Amino acid sequence: MEKKVYLLNNEIAFSLFGQNDKNINIIEDKFDAKLFSRGNELIIKGNRNSVEKVFFVIEELLKLIKKGNSISKDDIDLVIRSLQDEEMLKTSDILTEDLSVSRRDRHIKPKTLGQKKYVEAIIKYDIVFGIGPAGTGKTYLAMAMAVSSLKNKEVDRIILVRPAVEAGENLGFLPGSFSEKVDPYLRPLYDAIYDMMEIEKVQRLMDKGIIEVAPLAYMRGRTLNNAFIILDEAQNTTSEQMKMFLTRLGFNSKTVITGDITQVDLPSNRRSGLIEIQEILKDIEGISFVYFNGNDVVRHELVQKIIEAYAQREVKR
């Protein structure tokens, strides 16, 4: 079978093919089909099933190019994955929502349907729970939304929180200053925000108290107004800690709680506050729960396979 795709101009053709035809080579490796150009046409040859799938992938990539996006291997992989999930068929719509907070020559944007729903929920609701496996962008996108809100003067400060569960939040026995004691538990939050803002600027904002990174235990007794608050690794909060944290929310504030309920590090006799809260708050209006799965993993493709393997093992159990 053969299908043809008309390319408007050489610029679009170059964006689609990539340098040294690397994008086309990726697509050919994934399907039993051959692609080659003839003038302003891209010709797809192969069996009917492969040609139809490749045609869909090319059409989606062209939509991205026409909306000003450059094509990466990750984009191609996401479009190909969308063939297996009907809900993800509008990949070109998902990948064009730009959060515009990156300090580098790229932009941060949701890359899966789950991520798009998550960003939309954060915009709409004051309390959002992002629950799912590692690599789905729960913390990273929440951080991007926080930075965007601060830049747009929608909030006055960002507060980033994590439970230091390994030390039981009793860090006094560890050597060093307060910062040296808690930094190992908070490092992933620093990594994410440094990816979006210059390190020197982050440090200045931290010195002024505009950005705060702290262990969960130090939230007790506070009321947080005009703030974007992120609680990361929330599966390691106890029921009491979760209640304490949620009741810190003040006026004109937004809270995002992220966690993976399959990776609870609490002692076996302590119930995860994140697991429990799903039942407690499920009927409260103004709160959103967004659930991620393996299709939302945007790290190395092996991460998705690892998550799926663990999920299959749990089903067998």
Side-chain angles (χ1 to χ4, degrees):
M1 181 182 177
E2 178 179 302
K3 265 199 170 187
K4 297 178 181 179
V5 180
Y6 180 70
L7 305 176
L8 289 176
N9 53 54
N10 290 335
E11 186 177 347
I12 287 178
F14 179 77
S15 297
L16 177 65
F17 278 65
Q19 192 169 10
N20 299 322
D21 294 345
K22 65 177 181 179
N23 295 339
I24 295 301
N25 292 335
I26 291 170
I27 297 170
E28 287 184 333
D29 287 343
K30 296 285 186 180
F31 300 99
D32 184 20
K34 291 294 180 183
L35 293 86
F36 55 93
S37 60
R38 183 186 297 153
N40 284 340
E41 291 181 331
L42 174 64
I43 300 171
I44 309 166
K45 283 188 174 182
N47 63 63
R48 177 177 294 275
N49 184 49
S50 294
V51 169
E52 292 291 350
K53 288 181 177 179
V54 171
F55 183 79
F56 168 80
V57 170
I58 296 298
E59 288 288 289
E60 286 290 290
L61 294 176
L62 286 173
K63 289 177 186 176
L64 290 173
I65 292 168
K66 290 172 183 176
K67 291 179 179 179
N69 291 265
S70 58
I71 301 302
S72 68
K73 179 182 182 298
D74 288 340
D75 296 334
I76 297 171
D77 288 342
L78 286 167
V79 174
I80 292 172
R81 280 165 53 187
S82 74
L83 288 165
Q84 303 165 1
D85 187 342
E86 290 184 0
E87 277 198 311
M88 292 179 65
L89 289 181
K90 294 184 178 179
T91 309
S92 56
D93 292 331
I94 294 169
L95 293 174
T96 52
E97 186 166 343
D98 194 345
L99 303 183
S100 300
V101 297
S102 178
R103 68 183 177 91
R104 297 174 182 171
D105 294 331
R106 61 183 179 81
H107 294 282
I108 297 168
K109 59 186 71 178
K111 292 189 174 182
T112 69
L113 183 64
Q115 290 189 355
K116 184 177 176 68
K117 288 179 178 178
Y118 183 53
V119 168
E120 290 171 346
I122 293 173
I123 293 170
K124 183 176 180 181
Y125 297 96
D126 288 338
I127 297 179
V128 175
F129 290 85
I131 300 174
T136 50
K138 303 182 299 296
T139 303
Y140 197 78
L141 285 174
M143 191 77 74
M145 294 297 289
V147 172
S148 177
S149 294
L150 184 66
K151 285 185 173 181
N152 294 332
K153 302 188 184 301
E154 296 166 3
V155 297
D156 295 334
R157 54 186 173 151
I158 297 172
I159 300 174
L160 311 173
V161 185
R162 255 193 171 204
V165 67
E166 294 85 350
E169 299 218 16
N170 181 16
L171 305 175
F173 68 88
L174 293 175
S177 65
F178 170 78
S179 177
E180 290 169 334
K181 293 175 193 288
V182 301
D183 271 1
Y185 307 107
L186 306 176
R187 180 52 52 189
L189 297 177
Y190 287 109
D191 290 343
I193 202 162
Y194 287 155
D195 204 35
M196 299 170 199
M197 302 175 72
E198 297 291 341
I199 294 176
E200 295 78 10
K201 183 175 183 179
V202 173
Q203 193 58 56
R204 288 197 303 271
L205 294 175
M206 291 180 72
D207 291 341
K208 294 178 180 179
I210 295 173
I211 294 177
E212 179 181 350
V213 184
L216 177 59
Y218 291 83
M219 292 298 105
R220 189 173 299 278
R222 301 177 63 180
T223 300
L224 306 174
N225 296 315
N226 302 308
F228 197 116
I229 312 140
I230 299 172
L231 172 59
D232 191 35
E233 295 289 316
Q235 76 275 7
N236 290 327
T237 62
T238 63
S239 177
E240 296 81 7
Q241 288 172 330
M242 180 63 77
K243 179 181 177 182
M244 179 272 289
F245 175 78
L246 289 174
T247 53
R248 301 307 94 203
L249 186 67
F251 294 108
N252 191 40
S253 288
K254 191 177 288 287
T255 295
V256 180
I257 300 99
T258 71
D260 179 359
I261 57 177
T262 69
Q263 295 191 25
V264 177
D265 298 317
L266 293 170
S268 57
N269 63 339
R270 302 302 298 271
R271 181 168 170 78
S272 167
L274 184 59
I275 293 175
E276 183 182 68
I277 206 69
Q278 296 173 83
E279 182 65 27
I280 295 173
L281 300 184
K282 66 178 182 180
D283 296 324
I284 295 185
E285 201 171 327
I287 296 176
S288 176
F289 287 87
V290 179
Y291 294 91
F292 298 87
N293 57 42
N295 287 330
D296 297 305
V297 173
V298 291
R299 290 183 183 171
H300 194 288
E301 61 183 355
L302 285 177
V303 175
Q304 183 186 15
K305 293 178 181 179
I306 290 168
I307 290 168
E308 290 171 351
Y310 272 98
Q312 290 171 7
R313 183 167 180 260
E314 289 301 314
V315 170
K316 288 179 181 178
R317 282 182 172 179

